[in-house]
Amino acid sequence: MSTEQINENLAFLHQYVMDLEKRDEKTVQLLTAFNKPKEWIMNYLFNLINEYEALLG
């Protein structure tokens, strides 16, 4: 994966997380297709962000 692709994915994930933070738990579950608590979903997405940031070094 190129640096440009990683940066694009990071930008998308940051915006997605900011949008989800404003939503209620049921909406977050519907938007992400996870039947987990909102806190779990947010932690999962933050972990994805950390993985992409690690790829950048």
Side-chain angles (χ1 to χ4, degrees):
M1 186 178 300
S2 73
T3 301
E4 184 178 330
Q5 288 173 314
I6 293 170
N7 284 325
E8 287 174 8
N9 288 345
L10 275 171
F12 171 79
L13 283 171
H14 280 289
Q15 185 60 46
Y16 191 51
V17 167
M18 287 176 19
D19 183 51
L20 290 178
E21 286 178 328
K22 302 172 194 170
R23 311 275 181 174
D24 64 276
E25 186 160 320
K26 191 65 175 170
T27 302
V28 170
Q29 290 171 341
L30 291 171
L31 290 172
T32 61
F34 283 117
N35 190 20
K36 302 276 187 181
K38 180 179 176 180
E39 181 180 348
W40 184 93
I41 295 168
M42 299 306 286
N43 285 333
Y44 174 77
L45 293 172
F46 287 130
N47 285 334
L48 281 178
I49 289 170
N50 287 336
E51 288 178 22
Y52 278 117
E53 288 173 342
L55 291 174
L56 292 175

